[in-house]
Amino acid sequence: MVVRARASVGTDKVEAMAARAGERVPGPSPRTRAAIARRLAAASGQMTTAAVGEMEARHPWFSELSAEERSWITLVAQAGIDGFVRWFSEPEDEGRGAGIGVFGTAPRALARAITLQQTVELVRTTIDSVETQLHEVMPRGDRGHLQIAITQYSREVAFGAAEVYARAAELRGAWDARLEALVVDSVLRGDTDETVLSRASTLGWRSTQSVAVVIGPADDSGAARPLEEVRRLARNRDLDVLAAVQGDRLVVVLGGVVLVDQDAAVTQATHLVGAYGPGAIVVGPVVEHLVDASRSARGALSGLRAAVAWPGAPRPVGSEDLLPERALAGDGHARRALAMDVHGPLAAVNGDLLETLTAFLDSGSSMEATARALFVHPNTVRYRLKRVQQVTGFSPTDPREAYVLRIALTLGRLQR
């Protein structure tokens, strides 16, 4: 008697360990199993009613769901209990994936109606209720086998719930990526209407001012995921971001109060360089709203095409810093900007500034040669050159800025 009792205890321990490991343990004979399954099926309706009642008692949010959503959950609970009956009655079935069928009875909308955490709570409540009912409505001789079986089956249901929500998240992520690509494409095409703004808001865009577009080569090495990297880096700097890969280009739309001007936008874009491939990265001018972002995109695209003409350009570089190259490449906006914003103010002040600047550039940037050509003192030349910098924002004594001034003078004369 003692030996038999010890053997029984050892068997229980082995069965419990196997159940925890997710393995199917040797159960009753097929005839006994079929008999237990029939008794279990007869009690399935009572178990479902008890499980739904337990959900209402344990979880206050369950009562706040609509009648339709509660009916979906009831269907899932009923499918889970019926699935357990079928699963128990088929000893040759390993039960892999049994939990997927449980959630197949509910529409996809259920995954949006309740969270994954709430689903876990409902699964736990249903399993607890079923275990309680097994001890109340099933004969004592059936309870041991059913206890092991429900432990194994609940594991499959848990994995099934995780897979359902993983698939839903994957589909939602794919849809968001397509929607974001559509918004970025609309920005590039200059088609940013109310529909595009609504889509951007759905994607989390909040900025109502200060928007800039950054365009550069996409990283095709496969070593990084550029879109995820851009979003992570932008979030770290409290910037709104929309990003998409279009062919061999990575287009990023940035928004935030810190983008006060193009210099600030270039500074922020510096932190995103790691997401781009090798090559020039151009930051468009800062505009006031997402509706106007196409203007920033136009400047960035023009600068990207012309950036090859300035091998020593910083990375990233502002599109306004590429005005000479853009003008030579045929960009009408750049030509007008140089003629009106650089040459125009000089011509409006007085003729001495234009004359002095022309003489300075023609003399190889020599103060003394310029003074001799104009019959003035070198200090007068220095004063006038400082005035040129104050009026235009470009210093004639800096080689790069002197090049900008030279192109502006030429375009201004042509326009006049």
Side-chain angles (χ1 to χ4, degrees):
M1 294 291 291
V2 174
V3 172
R4 183 176 301 176
R6 288 179 178 175
S8 176
V9 172
T11 301
D12 292 342
K13 290 183 178 179
V14 171
E15 291 181 348
M17 292 174 63
R20 287 194 296 270
E23 300 176 358
R24 198 66 176 266
V25 299
S29 64
R31 180 178 298 180
T32 303
R33 182 182 294 275
I36 295 175
R38 286 194 297 271
R39 291 191 289 271
L40 189 62
S44 63
Q46 180 179 347
M47 291 181 181
T48 302
T49 302
V52 174
E54 191 68 17
M55 293 176 191
E56 294 179 349
R58 285 193 189 184
H59 310 298
W61 54 263
F62 182 83
S63 301
E64 298 175 0
L65 298 175
S66 66
E68 185 180 25
E69 292 166 349
R70 289 198 300 271
S71 68
W72 291 343
I73 294 175
T74 302
L75 286 176
V76 172
Q78 180 67 59
I81 294 173
D82 292 343
F84 174 58
V85 175
R86 290 192 301 272
W87 184 82
F88 182 81
S89 63
E90 297 173 357
E92 300 301 325
D93 182 13
E94 291 297 326
R96 304 301 180 191
I100 299 297
V102 172
F103 298 95
T105 60
R108 291 182 179 178
L110 182 60
R112 296 191 295 269
I114 63 175
T115 65
L116 177 58
Q117 179 63 36
Q118 291 172 335
T119 302
V120 172
E121 293 175 358
L122 293 181
V123 170
R124 182 183 292 113
T125 300
T126 302
I127 297 300
D128 291 345
S129 176
V130 169
E131 288 181 340
T132 301
Q133 289 295 310
L134 290 178
H135 285 79
E136 292 180 358
V137 303
M138 299 300 292
R140 184 181 298 273
D142 298 346
R143 297 173 187 173
H145 301 298
L146 291 173
Q147 182 64 45
I148 295 174
I150 194 63
T151 302
Q152 294 175 330
Y153 183 73
S154 63
R155 174 178 178 269
E156 299 300 327
V157 172
F159 280 115
E163 186 167 346
V164 166
Y165 276 84
R167 288 178 180 175
E170 185 175 352
L171 290 174
R172 186 164 54 251
W175 169 249
D176 287 348
R178 289 193 293 269
L179 186 63
E180 188 170 7
L182 286 174
V183 173
V184 173
D185 182 67
S186 298
V187 169
L188 291 180
R189 290 186 291 105
D191 188 21
T192 48
D193 54 12
E194 291 298 328
T195 301
V196 175
L197 295 180
S198 176
R199 290 172 177 172
S201 177
T202 301
L203 294 168
W205 184 270
R206 302 164 298 172
S207 295
T208 58
Q209 59 182 359
S210 301
V211 179
V213 177
V214 185
I215 303 179
D219 186 2
D220 57 357
S221 65
R225 305 180 68 180
L227 297 182
E228 289 78 1
E229 182 69 4
V230 164
R231 296 187 186 103
R232 183 185 66 81
L233 294 172
R235 284 196 301 268
N236 290 343
R237 308 199 68 80
D238 197 26
L239 293 171
D240 285 344
V241 62
L242 296 169
V245 175
Q246 294 196 337
D248 59 349
R249 299 178 308 200
L250 173 58
V251 182
V252 178
V253 183
L254 295 177
V257 294
V258 296
L259 306 178
V260 293
D261 53 25
Q262 189 169 78
D263 290 340
V266 170
T267 300
Q268 296 300 322
T270 303
H271 303 282
L272 309 180
V273 168
Y276 286 87
I281 303 173
V282 183
V283 182
V286 175
V287 295
E288 294 182 357
H289 197 275
L290 186 61
V291 173
D292 307 316
S294 59
R295 182 159 56 89
S296 180
R298 184 170 58 244
L301 286 172
S302 175
L304 190 65
R305 288 191 293 267
V308 66
W310 186 12
R315 189 171 185 265
V317 60
S319 61
E320 294 179 357
D321 295 330
L322 290 164
L323 284 176
E325 289 77 13
R326 291 169 54 192
L328 293 174
D331 185 347
H333 295 283
R335 290 198 300 269
R336 285 189 294 273
L338 288 171
M340 298 176 62
D341 299 339
V342 180
H343 180 273
L346 286 177
V349 175
N350 58 59
D352 291 340
L353 295 186
L354 277 177
E355 182 184 19
T356 303
L357 176 59
T358 301
F360 180 74
L361 296 176
D362 290 343
S363 64
S365 301
S366 171
M367 295 282 186
E368 289 75 12
T370 304
R372 287 194 299 270
L374 298 177
F375 301 101
V376 297
H377 194 276
N379 287 339
T380 302
V381 175
R382 292 188 180 89
Y383 170 77
R384 291 177 180 176
L385 294 180
K386 288 182 180 180
R387 287 284 296 144
V388 169
Q389 182 177 3
Q390 292 171 356
V391 172
T392 65
F394 295 98
S395 172
T397 58
D398 180 89
R400 171 65 189 178
E401 296 182 7
Y403 175 67
V404 176
L405 291 169
R406 170 69 80 178
I407 299 296
L409 289 179
T410 302
L411 291 172
R413 294 188 188 106
L414 290 173
Q415 187 181 60
R416 290 170 66 87

